[in-house]
Amino acid sequence: MIEQARTDLSLTPVVRALRLCLHLMVAALLALAAVRALADGAPDAPAVLATAVVLLALYVLGPALLRARTFAAVVLWLTTVVAVWLVLLALTQDGVWLAFPLFFVELHLLPARWALPTVAASTAAAIAGFAWHTHTLGVGTVIGPVLGAAVAVAVVFGYQALYRESEQRRRLIEELTAARSELAAAERAAGVLAERERLAREIHDTLAQGLSSIQLLLRAAERAVPGRPETALGHIRQARTAAVDNLAEARRFVRALSPPDLEAGSLPAALERLCAATARTSGLAVHCQVSGAPTPLPTPHEVALLRIAQSALANTVQHAAADRVELTLSYMDTEVALDVVDDGGGFVPAEVPPPGSAAAGGSGFGLAAMRARARALQGTLAVESAPGEGTALAVTLPCPDPSAAPETAQGAAP
């Protein structure tokens, strides 16, 4: 992990620039030491030149030799470089200037627990070499290398700390970006599910019920064809009308528009037309009555009540084997209620299988869709039934503020 972090850090633009400067510094200091030895005519000038060339060659070959970046290779190369530097330091006091770039090399290549002692030893060697050449050990002799080592340690460790903080922020930004993407995906999925649920409710309460009515009418026409052609023709006309109405409903709910019955009049009038159509196609005695003074309701409330009434009457026609159905719309001070009561065979509500399950035979969406509609408007739906005792369905929706209801209804209208 440490080696990987060091590799990543070495690839940053700032470190690349600093490394280039470091290479140039090493080359310049070695050239300075060799030129000064030759210029002074020192007897060991050839040895100084040879040592500088060897040290420069080792330094230049370092990146290729350390390509594997194993700890053993680093230690071997660094030990060789330091050993040659000590030879140069023994030959000329100008070798002390190379201690400063060596500090950076040691701090960069070695872990902290090894780098700090190595830098301290190099500092001591630089002080000792310079003091041996000058035969003095003053404050300046000690302060110079120590200050250079301190600056190198502060620069390297400070940059590493800044790099770690920058990496933490980068990872945090990546996590936040990923979390935002996941949240957006979840919102899209929730929107898709909500739209799918809306379409499922609309299909069940409109197309599915209309197709069932068309099927019943066509069966009645089929039975009447041999002896009562006029009756059969009437059933076929009703089926055609139902097909046209359902086509209009399909186009409207795909565009999320209001049902045509509500666009043509009020909710009580739409319920009366629904009861009359159900009685005409099914032969049941369907009665509709309104209790209380009708008040304007928001379009979502009227759509929900109409769709629930459609689904309840369709369930009665298909499953209840009833003779009579009573539909009552009640306007109260703070809420509106819809009751649908039949005298059919009844059932046990607790034993109704979940929608779409194998036990439901692919059906069972009616009650679930009605409950979902009521729940979406903070309302409640209750079903009371027992075998042989008929069924009573009651949905209650809270009424919004009367002063805001007309505006809401108008704003929700297409």
Side-chain angles (χ1 to χ4, degrees):
M1 182 66 69
I2 293 177
E3 294 300 326
Q4 181 65 35
R6 290 176 179 273
T7 302
D8 295 340
L9 188 146
S10 65
L11 297 177
T12 59
V14 175
V15 171
R16 289 175 181 172
L18 292 176
R19 186 166 54 186
L20 178 61
C21 294
L22 183 66
H23 298 338
L24 295 176
M25 183 186 297
V26 170
L29 291 176
L30 286 173
L32 176 64
V35 169
R36 288 192 59 177
L38 293 174
D40 292 342
D44 54 359
V48 171
L49 178 61
T51 305
V53 171
V54 171
L55 183 57
L56 181 61
L58 283 173
Y59 188 83
V60 171
L61 293 176
L65 297 175
L66 300 179
R67 194 176 302 276
R69 201 62 183 274
T70 62
F71 186 70
V74 169
V75 171
L76 179 61
W77 178 81
L78 192 59
T79 301
T80 304
V81 170
V82 172
V84 176
W85 170 67
L86 291 176
V87 173
L88 181 65
L89 183 62
L91 293 174
T92 174
Q93 67 180 13
D94 292 332
V96 71
W97 304 113
L98 286 165
F100 186 69
L102 282 179
F103 293 155
F104 285 98
V105 174
E106 293 164 351
L107 290 168
H108 177 67
L109 294 179
L110 297 176
R113 65 177 182 275
W114 295 100
L116 292 178
T118 303
V119 169
S122 300
T123 304
I127 294 173
F130 190 79
W132 182 70
H133 283 289
T134 60
H135 305 289
T136 59
L137 184 62
V139 175
T141 304
V142 177
I143 289 295
V146 171
L147 185 60
V151 170
V153 170
V155 170
V156 172
F157 284 5
Y159 182 77
Q160 290 178 353
L162 291 175
Y163 177 79
R164 287 192 297 270
E165 182 179 355
S166 175
E167 282 297 293
Q168 291 176 355
R169 290 183 179 179
R170 182 184 62 79
R171 287 192 295 269
L172 179 59
I173 292 174
E174 290 178 352
E175 292 175 358
L176 291 175
T177 302
R180 184 168 58 183
S181 300
E182 293 176 359
L183 180 60
E187 291 178 349
R188 286 194 297 270
V192 169
L193 291 176
E195 182 63 11
R196 184 179 300 171
E197 182 180 356
R198 182 188 75 84
L199 290 176
R201 288 199 304 263
E202 296 293 342
I203 290 173
H204 179 273
D205 294 342
T206 57
L207 297 185
Q209 311 301 348
L211 291 174
S212 298
S213 299
I214 293 172
Q215 184 183 25
L216 292 175
L217 289 169
L218 292 178
R219 283 181 179 177
E222 185 180 11
R223 289 193 298 268
V225 164
R228 294 174 295 163
E230 292 298 328
T231 303
L233 182 59
H235 290 321
I236 292 174
R237 289 173 177 170
Q238 292 179 10
R240 186 178 62 183
T241 302
V244 172
D245 293 342
N246 275 266
L247 180 60
E249 288 281 7
R251 289 171 177 169
R252 289 178 176 275
F253 77 66
V254 167
R255 298 194 301 267
L257 300 178
S258 301
D261 285 341
L262 291 179
E263 289 185 344
S266 63
L267 175 61
L271 292 176
E272 290 179 358
R273 287 192 295 270
L274 172 63
C275 291
T278 303
R280 185 172 58 254
T281 58
S282 65
L284 294 179
V286 184
H287 299 277
C288 177
Q289 57 181 344
V290 178
S291 174
T295 57
L297 294 174
T299 299
H301 286 61
E302 293 187 342
V303 172
L305 292 172
L306 178 60
R307 295 304 191 205
I308 291 173
Q310 288 175 328
S311 184
L313 291 178
N315 286 343
T316 301
V317 172
Q318 295 178 27
H319 307 296
D323 296 323
R324 182 180 181 85
V325 184
E326 294 287 343
L327 186 147
T328 305
L329 178 65
S330 302
Y331 289 93
M332 294 169 278
D333 293 337
T334 59
E335 57 189 14
V336 60
L338 176 69
D339 298 284
V340 181
V341 181
D342 66 62
D343 60 355
F347 63 99
V348 180
E351 296 180 358
V352 176
S357 63
S363 61
F365 290 95
L367 287 176
M370 287 187 278
R371 286 195 176 94
R373 288 186 184 276
R375 192 184 309 116
L377 298 174
Q378 289 77 46
T380 60
L381 184 140
V383 179
E384 296 182 1
S385 183
E389 298 183 6
T391 301
L393 181 145
V395 58
T396 303
L397 301 180
C399 288
D401 185 0
S403 61
E407 180 180 354
T408 304
Q410 182 179 359

